[in-house]
Every structure is written in C-alpha cells, then in structure tokens.
Amino acid sequence: MQTILEKYLTAENITFLLRSAGISIGIAAAALVCGLVLGVLGAAGRISRNKITHGIATVYVEVIRGTPMMLQILFFYLGVPSIVRAITGEPFNPSVYVIGVVAMAINSGAYTSELIRSAIQAVDKGQWEASETLGLGYIQMMRYIILPQAFKRIIPPMVSEFITLIKDSSLLSTIGVVELLQAAKTIGTRTYNYVPPLLMASVIYLALTLTISRFSKRLEERMALSD
C-alpha cells in the first residue's frame, strides 16, 4: 500500500490533477454564464406571443434536450469545422476548449431556459397586472419586476446545474480537452495502471460536488429566512 501511495500521490500527479480540476471548473463556469444568457433568451422566446420567436425557441429547447450532450460536442468538434470549410473553403480549427464551452453552454441554455420559464410563470399574476397598471412596457416589466423575482427562484437549481456541468465536462476528454478525467487517464497511461488515478479523480469530483452542494443548501436556507 505504501508503495502505491508513493507512486501515485506524488506532488507532480496531484498538481496535474488539481490544475485539470481547475480547467473543469473554469469550463463549467463559463458554460453556466453563457448558458444563462441563452436561457433568458430561450425563456423569453418560449413565452413570447410571436409565433416565429416562440417556434425558434421551442425548436432549440426540444432539439438540445432531446439529443445527448456527447452528440452535440462531437457535432461542434467535427461537424461545424466541416460545414465552415465547405462554405468558405478555408480551414476552421477552433480550440477544443472553445468548442467545449460553446457545446456545453448551448446544452445548458436549453435546460436553463425551462427553469427560467417556469420561474417567470410562477411569479404572481398580480405583479404582471401591477406592472401594466404602472404603464411599464414589456421589456421594462421583465427587467425591473419579473426577472429579478424569477432569478431568485432559480438560484438553487442553477447551483445544481453548475454541479452537473462540472461532471459533464468529463465528456470533453473525448475531443482532447485536458480536464480532470483526461488528466487521470494520462497518469494511468504513464503508470500502466488506471485504477489509482481514476480513484483520485473521483475523490476530487466528490469533494467539488459536496462542497458546492453544501453551499447550495446554505444558500437555500438563507433565502428561506429572507422571504
């Protein structure tokens, strides 16, 4: 046992894994922020009375939620460069990290839009009527009255979405992103034994998710006291 610990729990391996865990967190955070923007747009489209806007938003949400994230990642990694090359005749090779963030953001946006839509529709109808009575336009009403209340409702689910994105970032190892899982696989390749580094990665994933979950629980308790 001592030999195994000395072989795998080295400063180099631990640093490599923690640095890669930081990449996983960074990608997940960027995807969450971009997904939130897409979610707001998607939710606005879903509740819009304009048939075209509503239709576009509905297609986006249903297609993304109805297909695996792995398929979406591979589409952006393999499909989009091929399409751009066919149209422009020029090579298009974006960074795998950019591809990862874009694919995960688009996926997150579809799920976030449904969270936001539900939160918006959960706002008391009296708030809508009061806003109309005050003469506020639709954009002003959404910006100052409805969305602030809706965002308060979606904070706990968004923390859960962040946890999901951290775990789903492991899928990006298939396109060469050196996140936490890929780092563990790299160590396994060097040492000819995948079990210890994968267990180490599991511990880091677990530590991250438990820490964020604890933060989410405390946040919910604080929000419940403020209501």
Side-chain angles (χ1 to χ4, degrees), residues 23-24 28 34 46 51 55-56 82 89 91 94 103 144 146 167 185 196 202 207 223 227:
I23 292 174
S24 294
C34 295
R46 293 276 277 174
K51 292 184 178 180
I56 293 173
S82 297
Y144 297 110
I146 305 303
K167 293 186 291 185
K185 290 162 63 177
S202 299
M223 290 176 62
D227 289 338

Side-chain angles (χ1 to χ4, degrees), residues 99-116:
I99 291 174
V101 170
V102 170
M104 293 184 66
I106 290 176
N107 182 276
S108 179
Y111 288 91
T112 302
S113 68
E114 289 300 280
L115 292 176
I116 297 175

Side-chain angles (χ1 to χ4, degrees), residues 105-185:
I106 290 176
N107 182 276
S108 179
Y111 288 91
T112 302
S113 68
E114 289 300 280
L115 292 176
I116 297 175
R117 182 178 66 84
S118 298
I120 289 175
Q121 293 178 336
V123 174
D124 187 84
K125 291 184 178 179
Q127 299 288 330
W128 296 81
E129 295 172 356
S131 300
E132 293 176 352
T133 301
L134 292 172
L136 296 178
Y138 182 78
I139 295 178
Q140 290 178 311
M141 177 173 59
M142 292 296 291
R143 179 179 177 183
Y144 297 110
I145 307 296
I146 305 303
L147 284 180
Q149 297 182 60
F151 277 125
K152 187 176 180 180
R153 296 173 184 267
I154 69 166
I155 289 177
M158 288 302 294
V159 175
S160 297
E161 175 68 8
F162 183 45
I163 293 175
T164 299
L165 288 171
I166 290 176
K167 293 186 291 185
D168 285 347
S169 67
S170 61
L171 297 174
L172 300 179
S173 64
T174 58
I175 62 173
V177 174
V178 186
E179 42 64 63
L180 182 54
L181 179 59
Q182 183 63 28
K185 290 162 63 177

Side-chain angles (χ1 to χ4, degrees), residues 167-225:
K167 293 186 291 185
D168 285 347
S169 67
S170 61
L171 297 174
L172 300 179
S173 64
T174 58
I175 62 173
V177 174
V178 186
E179 42 64 63
L180 182 54
L181 179 59
Q182 183 63 28
K185 290 162 63 177
T186 300
I187 294 173
T189 300
R190 291 201 303 250
T191 58
Y192 304 102
N193 188 348
Y194 288 91
V195 175
L198 288 176
L199 288 176
M200 292 164 66
S202 299
V203 170
I204 296 175
Y205 276 122
L206 187 60
L208 288 174
T209 56
L210 288 178
T211 300
I212 298 172
S213 295
R214 181 66 61 87
F215 168 77
S216 177
K217 185 176 180 181
R218 289 187 177 182
L219 183 61
E220 288 184 51
E221 292 173 349
R222 183 171 297 182
M223 290 176 62
L225 291 175

